Amino acid sequence: MGDKVAIVTGGLQGIGKCCAVRLVKAGYDIAINDIREDADAKDYYKDLEEMGAKVFYMKANVTKEDEAENFIKSAHEALGRIDVLVNNAGITKDNLFIRMSKQDWDSVININLTGAFNITKPAVKIMMKQRFGSIVNMSSVVGVMGNAGQANYSASKAGLIGLTKTLAKELAGRNIRVNAVAPGFIDTAMTEKLDEEKLISIIPMSRKGKPEEIAETVFFLADTASYITGQVINVDGGLVM
């Protein structure tokens, strides 16, 4: 399509899928990874290709350092450069802290936070050689305000905020910007089990957000916001002010 390349982790569904589509619409070729490949994936890739993009997909577990490095290396070889990285891969395993198992703690931290480390490090090496790049980390409002029953998820998303701010300071001199988006309650599979009436009652805009609204903010930070780095943008209908 063009000379811009974006990587989106966890890009087969929900917010990640919307981010990939938005970037392709803006002229990016796209590399996507996920830990699975469902029956609709090939149609999804075909749709992106019909929009004019070169599409690279690799099944890769971001918690495994060797798989993350191989994905970045392979995407770079296939598409030629890396301009944008969207660290979107994430899971929830909710429970009250006193009942939370070590396994559920570890799995959420490993995917949401350590996974971002594993993907970002090899991508940054490429961006530093290019002397250009933009990273957007998918945090959450619960990483800002906390949330009962989500100690593991909140900790992982707060960690991404700290990672964002630190990398922004370390990499600005190489013309690499690093920002984060903190979605509120978004209409995805991750929130469908929650009490919608109760949620809406605490959101000033009185509705859940749409994945496309997160994707627009990701695109703004990744592509347009040339003088913004180290920032966390809440996209939450006014939940956190």
Side-chain angles (χ1 to χ4, degrees):
M1 176 183 279
D3 58 357
K4 298 185 292 184
V5 174
I7 290 178
V8 180
T9 67
L12 286 188
Q13 64 179 346
I15 291 173
K17 184 175 182 178
C18 286
C19 289
V21 170
R22 181 64 181 89
L23 287 159
V24 166
K25 285 180 178 178
Y28 282 81
D29 292 328
I30 201 82
I32 297 166
N33 90 298
D34 212 299
I35 59 171
R36 61 179 183 79
E37 185 165 21
D38 60 27
D40 298 325
K42 290 182 180 179
D43 290 338
Y44 167 42
Y45 305 144
K46 185 178 179 181
D47 289 343
L48 294 177
E49 288 172 346
E50 288 177 351
M51 292 166 64
K54 294 179 183 177
V55 180
F56 175 82
Y57 171 77
M58 178 179 285
K59 185 177 180 181
N61 186 339
V62 297
T63 69
K64 299 184 182 300
E65 188 175 13
D66 58 340
E67 291 189 25
E69 289 181 354
N70 187 44
F71 168 63
I72 294 296
K73 179 182 177 182
S74 299
H76 185 233
E77 289 175 350
L79 300 177
R81 58 184 293 117
I82 299 174
D83 299 284
V84 168
L85 169 63
V86 181
N87 279 312
N88 171 74
I91 63 167
T92 59
K93 290 196 174 183
D94 298 347
N95 212 333
L96 292 175
F97 180 75
I98 197 68
R99 298 174 184 167
M100 186 172 291
S101 69
K102 181 64 161 49
Q103 181 179 357
D104 284 352
W105 172 271
D106 286 344
S107 62
V108 171
I109 296 295
N110 287 342
I111 292 174
N112 297 5
L113 184 56
T114 305
F117 170 86
N118 289 339
I119 287 286
T120 302
K121 192 170 182 180
V124 160
K125 290 179 181 178
I126 293 167
M127 290 177 176
M128 288 176 73
K129 290 180 181 178
Q130 296 172 169
R131 298 193 70 84
F132 178 81
S134 178
I135 300 167
V136 182
N137 293 319
M138 196 66 65
S139 183
S140 168
V141 291
V142 304
V144 178
M145 68 179 188
N147 195 36
Q150 290 192 307
N152 49 3
Y153 188 71
S154 298
S156 70
K157 295 302 186 177
L160 279 176
I161 291 172
L163 178 65
T164 296
K165 292 179 178 292
T166 298
L167 288 181
K169 291 182 177 181
E170 290 187 5
L171 300 175
R174 294 296 185 102
N175 198 29
I176 301 169
R177 297 182 300 105
V178 189
N179 292 287
V181 176
F185 294 107
I186 309 302
D187 191 10
T188 65
M190 196 175 282
T191 62
E192 64 184 9
K193 296 180 181 179
L194 301 176
D195 185 335
E196 186 164 349
E197 185 175 343
K198 184 177 179 181
L199 284 182
I200 289 175
S201 71
I202 62 173
I203 299 172
M205 289 184 68
S206 299
R207 68 172 177 87
K208 290 198 288 187
K210 301 174 183 178
E212 292 81 3
E213 292 172 311
I214 304 303
E216 285 295 336
T217 307
V218 168
F219 173 71
F220 167 69
L221 290 173
D223 185 274
T224 308
S226 58
Y227 197 52
I228 297 178
T229 195
Q231 303 304 305
V232 182
I233 308 297
N234 296 335
V235 187
D236 60 3
L239 182 61
V240 177
M241 294 188 187

